[in-house]
Amino acid sequence: MNALRDHILRQQPEAVLNLLHEIEQFAGIRVEFWLYPEDSIPDGSNPFAATLQVHRDAADILVRDPDRTTSQQVLHELLHLQRYWMEGVPQVVPVGTDPGNWDITSQIENVLEHLVIIPRERERGIDSFPYWRENLCGFWKSYPWPNLQNDFARRKNALLSWLQLEDLEPSIELRTIAENALRSEGLLTEAKRLRSRIKLKIRDKPQMIAHALQASRIPRNNVRLLYFDVKARSEQRETVPKTR
């Protein structure tokens, strides 16, 4: 028995429980819930956010405080899991074990997945648009980004943050702030072009990844596409295709 899982699931609405059941029936695997290890508690804008750890034969959702774990957080991680296990979309992962490279690919992965997942949350009755919009508001209003000193980080964060913005129904004020920041960085035209290309490829995750890498100036050979076949309990890594 997993008492933490039982405690969290008692607080979930039907839409979340139904998705969990659907995933578990498909995979033949029980999704577990655990507390974060003390040495890996998340930081950032929401230290109480949940995190999904997904493998070819297991899936765990890590939480810090069960009583502050929201239905939106649980639904969000389950939607990620549905994509990786049931829909078979790949994740982008680095070659090698450098933690810095994992941070970069995780950021790209999350941004691309959120273009699909956040609208799906709303379809299931949980509107997280205000939360994510507030997160992006903090980034754009902090321009000229004194904590981002190198050109690679400035470019990557600006382009990826613009990718998400339009889907979140920003105010005219926030959109103007973002456009002015991109214009000052010389990235406005490129950011809009990248968003158009990504949206055209929204059903083609490898191409979404390829375009995001190209725009971020990350060589394709530095990363791989990681696929899970949960029914076979197997995984496969493939090279990222060229953009088209």
Side-chain angles (χ1 to χ4, degrees):
M1 293 291 292
N2 183 330
L4 178 61
R5 171 187 156 110
D6 294 342
H7 176 78
I8 290 173
L9 293 186
R10 278 196 296 269
Q11 306 173 50
Q12 302 310 311
E14 185 177 0
V16 174
L17 296 176
N18 287 344
L19 178 58
L20 175 63
H21 179 72
E22 183 182 348
I23 293 169
E24 291 182 335
Q25 286 291 106
F26 177 87
I29 294 173
R30 176 174 148 130
V31 179
E32 297 293 355
F33 291 76
W34 307 103
L35 291 175
Y36 275 103
E38 287 297 322
D39 61 352
S40 63
I41 290 175
D43 53 15
S45 60
N46 185 2
F48 295 98
T51 298
L52 173 69
Q53 293 186 337
V54 57
H55 310 279
R56 63 179 182 267
D57 56 0
D60 302 311
I61 295 177
L62 304 184
V63 302
R64 179 176 178 183
D65 183 344
D67 294 319
R68 298 182 69 170
T69 300
T70 67
S71 296
Q72 182 274 327
Q73 291 169 351
V74 177
L75 176 61
H76 186 86
E77 302 311 323
L78 290 176
L79 288 168
H80 274 298
L81 184 57
Q82 180 188 46
R83 293 268 292 164
Y84 299 139
W85 274 3
M86 297 182 67
E87 299 179 18
V89 300
Q91 301 174 69
V92 58
V93 298
V95 173
T97 59
D98 186 309
N101 291 338
W102 277 96
D103 289 344
I104 290 168
T105 57
S106 293
Q107 180 189 15
I108 293 170
E109 177 66 22
N110 271 321
V111 167
L112 297 181
E113 280 298 293
H114 287 179
L115 296 176
V116 176
I117 286 174
I118 294 173
R120 288 186 179 182
E121 291 177 7
R122 178 179 275 187
E123 292 169 3
R124 290 180 180 264
I126 296 179
D127 186 359
S128 64
F129 279 39
Y131 167 77
W132 295 109
R133 189 165 52 236
E134 185 64 26
N135 274 2
L136 284 178
C137 185
F139 171 76
W140 291 112
K141 288 188 174 181
S142 71
Y143 189 78
W145 310 320
N147 294 330
L148 295 176
Q149 294 298 319
N150 71 77
D151 291 342
F152 169 75
R154 295 177 71 84
R155 176 186 181 84
K156 172 177 60 67
N157 283 274
L159 293 176
L160 293 177
S161 295
W162 177 259
L163 265 184
Q164 303 174 82
L165 186 63
E166 282 299 304
D167 281 358
L168 297 176
E169 302 168 358
S171 65
I172 293 174
E173 177 192 10
L174 179 55
R175 183 185 291 108
T176 300
I177 290 171
E179 288 182 342
N180 287 341
L182 288 168
R183 189 176 291 110
S184 295
E185 295 291 307
L187 292 172
L188 181 58
T189 299
E190 189 169 353
K192 291 186 174 183
R193 183 168 59 242
L194 174 63
R195 175 176 161 77
S196 295
R197 289 172 174 170
I198 293 286
K199 296 298 284 186
L200 285 173
K201 303 295 184 180
I202 199 71
R203 297 182 184 276
D204 187 343
K205 181 74 178 292
Q207 278 298 309
M208 292 173 70
I209 292 170
H211 281 283
L213 292 174
Q214 184 180 72
S216 301
R217 296 179 177 168
I218 298 172
R220 291 186 301 119
N221 291 338
N222 289 5
V223 304
R224 293 290 183 267
L225 303 179
L226 173 61
Y227 291 86
F228 292 122
D229 182 343
V230 68
K231 289 184 176 292
R233 308 292 191 257
S234 66
E235 64 183 60
Q236 180 174 331
R237 282 172 167 78
E238 297 183 3
T239 57
V240 177
K242 294 181 179 179
T243 57
R244 62 175 190 273

